[in-house]
mmCIF file with all atom_site columns, all heavy atoms in Angstrom:
data_model
loop_
_atom_site.group_PDB
_atom_site.id
_atom_site.type_symbol
_atom_site.label_atom_id
_atom_site.label_alt_id
_atom_site.label_comp_id
_atom_site.label_asym_id
_atom_site.label_entity_id
_atom_site.label_seq_id
_atom_site.pdbx_PDB_ins_code
_atom_site.Cartn_x
_atom_site.Cartn_y
_atom_site.Cartn_z
_atom_site.occupancy
_atom_site.B_iso_or_equiv
_atom_site.pdbx_formal_charge
_atom_site.auth_seq_id
_atom_site.auth_comp_id
_atom_site.auth_asym_id
_atom_site.auth_atom_id
_atom_site.pdbx_PDB_model_num
ATOM 1   N N   . ASP V 1 122 ? -36.825 31.310 -17.289 1.00 97.00 ? 1612 ASP V N   1
ATOM 2   C CA  . ASP V 1 122 ? -38.249 31.172 -17.574 1.00 97.00 ? 1612 ASP V CA  1
ATOM 3   C C   . ASP V 1 122 ? -38.991 32.477 -17.276 1.00 97.00 ? 1612 ASP V C   1
ATOM 4   O O   . ASP V 1 122 ? -38.422 33.377 -16.594 1.00 97.00 ? 1612 ASP V O   1
ATOM 5   C CB  . ASP V 1 122 ? -38.899 30.108 -16.659 1.00 97.00 ? 1612 ASP V CB  1
ATOM 6   C CG  . ASP V 1 122 ? -38.302 28.721 -16.837 1.00 97.00 ? 1612 ASP V CG  1
ATOM 7   O OD1 . ASP V 1 122 ? -37.474 28.527 -17.793 1.00 97.00 ? 1612 ASP V OD1 1
ATOM 8   O OD2 . ASP V 1 122 ? -38.624 27.851 -16.015 1.00 97.00 ? 1612 ASP V OD2 1
ATOM 9   N N   . THR V 1 123 ? -40.204 32.597 -17.709 1.00 98.00 ? 1613 THR V N   1
ATOM 10  C CA  . THR V 1 123 ? -41.034 33.738 -17.309 1.00 98.00 ? 1613 THR V CA  1
ATOM 11  C C   . THR V 1 123 ? -42.309 33.226 -16.628 1.00 98.00 ? 1613 THR V C   1
ATOM 12  O O   . THR V 1 123 ? -42.792 32.157 -16.982 1.00 98.00 ? 1613 THR V O   1
ATOM 13  C CB  . THR V 1 123 ? -41.389 34.601 -18.538 1.00 98.00 ? 1613 THR V CB  1
ATOM 14  O OG1 . THR V 1 123 ? -40.189 35.006 -19.216 1.00 98.00 ? 1613 THR V OG1 1
ATOM 15  C CG2 . THR V 1 123 ? -42.144 35.865 -18.177 1.00 98.00 ? 1613 THR V CG2 1
ATOM 16  N N   . MET V 1 124 ? -42.771 33.948 -15.635 1.00 98.00 ? 1614 MET V N   1
ATOM 17  C CA  . MET V 1 124 ? -44.014 33.650 -14.946 1.00 98.00 ? 1614 MET V CA  1
ATOM 18  C C   . MET V 1 124 ? -45.062 34.682 -15.239 1.00 98.00 ? 1614 MET V C   1
ATOM 19  O O   . MET V 1 124 ? -44.750 35.847 -15.451 1.00 98.00 ? 1614 MET V O   1
ATOM 20  C CB  . MET V 1 124 ? -43.775 33.534 -13.407 1.00 98.00 ? 1614 MET V CB  1
ATOM 21  C CG  . MET V 1 124 ? -42.910 32.392 -13.007 1.00 98.00 ? 1614 MET V CG  1
ATOM 22  S SD  . MET V 1 124 ? -42.765 32.294 -11.211 1.00 98.00 ? 1614 MET V SD  1
ATOM 23  C CE  . MET V 1 124 ? -44.401 31.672 -10.791 1.00 98.00 ? 1614 MET V CE  1
ATOM 24  N N   . TRP V 1 125 ? -46.313 34.308 -15.170 1.00 98.00 ? 1615 TRP V N   1
ATOM 25  C CA  . TRP V 1 125 ? -47.470 35.206 -15.300 1.00 98.00 ? 1615 TRP V CA  1
ATOM 26  C C   . TRP V 1 125 ? -48.444 34.906 -14.175 1.00 98.00 ? 1615 TRP V C   1
ATOM 27  O O   . TRP V 1 125 ? -48.494 33.788 -13.652 1.00 98.00 ? 1615 TRP V O   1
ATOM 28  C CB  . TRP V 1 125 ? -48.219 34.993 -16.633 1.00 98.00 ? 1615 TRP V CB  1
ATOM 29  C CG  . TRP V 1 125 ? -47.495 35.563 -17.827 1.00 98.00 ? 1615 TRP V CG  1
ATOM 30  C CD1 . TRP V 1 125 ? -47.697 36.762 -18.423 1.00 98.00 ? 1615 TRP V CD1 1
ATOM 31  C CD2 . TRP V 1 125 ? -46.450 34.912 -18.603 1.00 98.00 ? 1615 TRP V CD2 1
ATOM 32  N NE1 . TRP V 1 125 ? -46.852 36.907 -19.485 1.00 98.00 ? 1615 TRP V NE1 1
ATOM 33  C CE2 . TRP V 1 125 ? -46.087 35.799 -19.607 1.00 98.00 ? 1615 TRP V CE2 1
ATOM 34  C CE3 . TRP V 1 125 ? -45.786 33.690 -18.495 1.00 98.00 ? 1615 TRP V CE3 1
ATOM 35  C CZ2 . TRP V 1 125 ? -45.062 35.494 -20.542 1.00 98.00 ? 1615 TRP V CZ2 1
ATOM 36  C CZ3 . TRP V 1 125 ? -44.788 33.394 -19.380 1.00 98.00 ? 1615 TRP V CZ3 1
ATOM 37  C CH2 . TRP V 1 125 ? -44.429 34.290 -20.417 1.00 98.00 ? 1615 TRP V CH2 1
ATOM 38  N N   . THR V 1 126 ? -49.225 35.933 -13.803 1.00 98.00 ? 1616 THR V N   1
ATOM 39  C CA  . THR V 1 126 ? -50.285 35.700 -12.785 1.00 98.00 ? 1616 THR V CA  1
ATOM 40  C C   . THR V 1 126 ? -51.621 36.243 -13.325 1.00 98.00 ? 1616 THR V C   1
ATOM 41  O O   . THR V 1 126 ? -51.640 37.229 -14.079 1.00 98.00 ? 1616 THR V O   1
ATOM 42  C CB  . THR V 1 126 ? -49.889 36.316 -11.441 1.00 98.00 ? 1616 THR V CB  1
ATOM 43  O OG1 . THR V 1 126 ? -50.815 35.865 -10.443 1.00 98.00 ? 1616 THR V OG1 1
ATOM 44  C CG2 . THR V 1 126 ? -49.929 37.851 -11.456 1.00 98.00 ? 1616 THR V CG2 1
ATOM 45  N N   . ASN V 1 127 ? -52.698 35.568 -12.915 1.00 99.00 ? 1617 ASN V N   1
ATOM 46  C CA  . ASN V 1 127 ? -54.031 35.864 -13.408 1.00 99.00 ? 1617 ASN V CA  1
ATOM 47  C C   . ASN V 1 127 ? -54.714 36.803 -12.401 1.00 99.00 ? 1617 ASN V C   1
ATOM 48  O O   . ASN V 1 127 ? -55.073 36.391 -11.274 1.00 99.00 ? 1617 ASN V O   1
ATOM 49  C CB  . ASN V 1 127 ? -54.758 34.513 -13.498 1.00 99.00 ? 1617 ASN V CB  1
ATOM 50  C CG  . ASN V 1 127 ? -56.200 34.628 -13.969 1.00 99.00 ? 1617 ASN V CG  1
ATOM 51  O OD1 . ASN V 1 127 ? -56.835 35.646 -13.792 1.00 99.00 ? 1617 ASN V OD1 1
ATOM 52  N ND2 . ASN V 1 127 ? -56.709 33.559 -14.572 1.00 99.00 ? 1617 ASN V ND2 1
ATOM 53  N N   . LEU V 1 128 ? -54.956 38.032 -12.819 1.00 98.00 ? 1618 LEU V N   1
ATOM 54  C CA  . LEU V 1 128 ? -55.489 39.060 -11.901 1.00 98.00 ? 1618 LEU V CA  1
ATOM 55  C C   . LEU V 1 128 ? -57.019 38.989 -11.763 1.00 98.00 ? 1618 LEU V C   1
ATOM 56  O O   . LEU V 1 128 ? -57.579 39.622 -10.908 1.00 98.00 ? 1618 LEU V O   1
ATOM 57  C CB  . LEU V 1 128 ? -55.031 40.445 -12.326 1.00 98.00 ? 1618 LEU V CB  1
ATOM 58  C CG  . LEU V 1 128 ? -53.504 40.636 -12.289 1.00 98.00 ? 1618 LEU V CG  1
ATOM 59  C CD1 . LEU V 1 128 ? -53.130 42.001 -12.821 1.00 98.00 ? 1618 LEU V CD1 1
ATOM 60  C CD2 . LEU V 1 128 ? -52.952 40.454 -10.862 1.00 98.00 ? 1618 LEU V CD2 1
ATOM 61  N N   . TYR V 1 129 ? -57.670 38.202 -12.629 1.00 98.00 ? 1619 TYR V N   1
ATOM 62  C CA  . TYR V 1 129 ? -59.100 37.930 -12.406 1.00 98.00 ? 1619 TYR V CA  1
ATOM 63  C C   . TYR V 1 129 ? -59.216 37.036 -11.165 1.00 98.00 ? 1619 TYR V C   1
ATOM 64  O O   . TYR V 1 129 ? -60.043 37.253 -10.289 1.00 98.00 ? 1619 TYR V O   1
ATOM 65  C CB  . TYR V 1 129 ? -59.722 37.115 -13.548 1.00 98.00 ? 1619 TYR V CB  1
ATOM 66  C CG  . TYR V 1 129 ? -59.856 37.752 -14.904 1.00 98.00 ? 1619 TYR V CG  1
ATOM 67  C CD1 . TYR V 1 129 ? -59.442 37.032 -16.034 1.00 98.00 ? 1619 TYR V CD1 1
ATOM 68  C CD2 . TYR V 1 129 ? -60.439 38.994 -15.098 1.00 98.00 ? 1619 TYR V CD2 1
ATOM 69  C CE1 . TYR V 1 129 ? -59.601 37.529 -17.323 1.00 98.00 ? 1619 TYR V CE1 1
ATOM 70  C CE2 . TYR V 1 129 ? -60.593 39.478 -16.399 1.00 98.00 ? 1619 TYR V CE2 1
ATOM 71  C CZ  . TYR V 1 129 ? -60.185 38.787 -17.497 1.00 98.00 ? 1619 TYR V CZ  1
ATOM 72  O OH  . TYR V 1 129 ? -60.324 39.262 -18.736 1.00 98.00 ? 1619 TYR V OH  1
ATOM 73  N N   . LEU V 1 130 ? -58.354 35.965 -11.135 1.00 98.00 ? 1620 LEU V N   1
ATOM 74  C CA  . LEU V 1 130 ? -58.451 35.054 -9.985  1.00 98.00 ? 1620 LEU V CA  1
ATOM 75  C C   . LEU V 1 130 ? -58.087 35.776 -8.687  1.00 98.00 ? 1620 LEU V C   1
ATOM 76  O O   . LEU V 1 130 ? -58.680 35.537 -7.646  1.00 98.00 ? 1620 LEU V O   1
ATOM 77  C CB  . LEU V 1 130 ? -57.506 33.871 -10.197 1.00 98.00 ? 1620 LEU V CB  1
ATOM 78  C CG  . LEU V 1 130 ? -57.836 32.912 -11.321 1.00 98.00 ? 1620 LEU V CG  1
ATOM 79  C CD1 . LEU V 1 130 ? -56.824 31.740 -11.357 1.00 98.00 ? 1620 LEU V CD1 1
ATOM 80  C CD2 . LEU V 1 130 ? -59.253 32.353 -11.192 1.00 98.00 ? 1620 LEU V CD2 1
ATOM 81  N N   . ALA V 1 131 ? -57.053 36.688 -8.805  1.00 98.00 ? 1621 ALA V N   1
ATOM 82  C CA  . ALA V 1 131 ? -56.640 37.406 -7.601  1.00 98.00 ? 1621 ALA V CA  1
ATOM 83  C C   . ALA V 1 131 ? -57.824 38.266 -7.097  1.00 98.00 ? 1621 ALA V C   1
ATOM 84  O O   . ALA V 1 131 ? -58.038 38.343 -5.877  1.00 98.00 ? 1621 ALA V O   1
ATOM 85  C CB  . ALA V 1 131 ? -55.452 38.295 -7.967  1.00 98.00 ? 1621 ALA V CB  1
ATOM 86  N N   . HIS V 1 132 ? -58.546 38.897 -7.993  1.00 98.00 ? 1622 HIS V N   1
ATOM 87  C CA  . HIS V 1 132 ? -59.722 39.689 -7.572  1.00 98.00 ? 1622 HIS V CA  1
ATOM 88  C C   . HIS V 1 132 ? -60.778 38.793 -6.947  1.00 98.00 ? 1622 HIS V C   1
ATOM 89  O O   . HIS V 1 132 ? -61.309 39.073 -5.879  1.00 98.00 ? 1622 HIS V O   1
ATOM 90  C CB  . HIS V 1 132 ? -60.277 40.448 -8.763  1.00 98.00 ? 1622 HIS V CB  1
ATOM 91  C CG  . HIS V 1 132 ? -61.618 41.104 -8.430  1.00 98.00 ? 1622 HIS V CG  1
ATOM 92  N ND1 . HIS V 1 132 ? -62.821 40.487 -8.669  1.00 98.00 ? 1622 HIS V ND1 1
ATOM 93  C CD2 . HIS V 1 132 ? -61.892 42.294 -7.804  1.00 98.00 ? 1622 HIS V CD2 1
ATOM 94  C CE1 . HIS V 1 132 ? -63.791 41.269 -8.249  1.00 98.00 ? 1622 HIS V CE1 1
ATOM 95  N NE2 . HIS V 1 132 ? -63.262 42.367 -7.704  1.00 98.00 ? 1622 HIS V NE2 1
ATOM 96  N N   . ASP V 1 133 ? -61.125 37.697 -7.641  1.00 98.00 ? 1623 ASP V N   1
ATOM 97  C CA  . ASP V 1 133 ? -62.253 36.883 -7.213  1.00 98.00 ? 1623 ASP V CA  1
ATOM 98  C C   . ASP V 1 133 ? -62.000 36.226 -5.849  1.00 98.00 ? 1623 ASP V C   1
ATOM 99  O O   . ASP V 1 133 ? -62.948 35.939 -5.122  1.00 98.00 ? 1623 ASP V O   1
ATOM 100 C CB  . ASP V 1 133 ? -62.548 35.777 -8.272  1.00 98.00 ? 1623 ASP V CB  1
ATOM 101 C CG  . ASP V 1 133 ? -63.024 36.414 -9.585  1.00 98.00 ? 1623 ASP V CG  1
ATOM 102 O OD1 . ASP V 1 133 ? -63.297 37.626 -9.615  1.00 98.00 ? 1623 ASP V OD1 1
ATOM 103 O OD2 . ASP V 1 133 ? -63.088 35.691 -10.580 1.00 98.00 ? 1623 ASP V OD2 1
ATOM 104 N N   . ALA V 1 134 ? -60.714 36.010 -5.495  1.00 98.00 ? 1624 ALA V N   1
ATOM 105 C CA  . ALA V 1 134 ? -60.396 35.347 -4.241  1.00 98.00 ? 1624 ALA V CA  1
ATOM 106 C C   . ALA V 1 134 ? -60.439 36.308 -3.031  1.00 98.00 ? 1624 ALA V C   1
ATOM 107 O O   . ALA V 1 134 ? -60.319 35.888 -1.889  1.00 98.00 ? 1624 ALA V O   1
ATOM 108 C CB  . ALA V 1 134 ? -58.998 34.718 -4.328  1.00 98.00 ? 1624 ALA V CB  1
#
Side-chain angles (χ1 to χ4, degrees):
D1612 299 351
T1613 305
M1614 293 184 73
W1615 285 263
T1616 192
N1617 179 334
L1618 298 175
Y1619 295 131
L1620 293 183
H1622 171 267
D1623 295 349

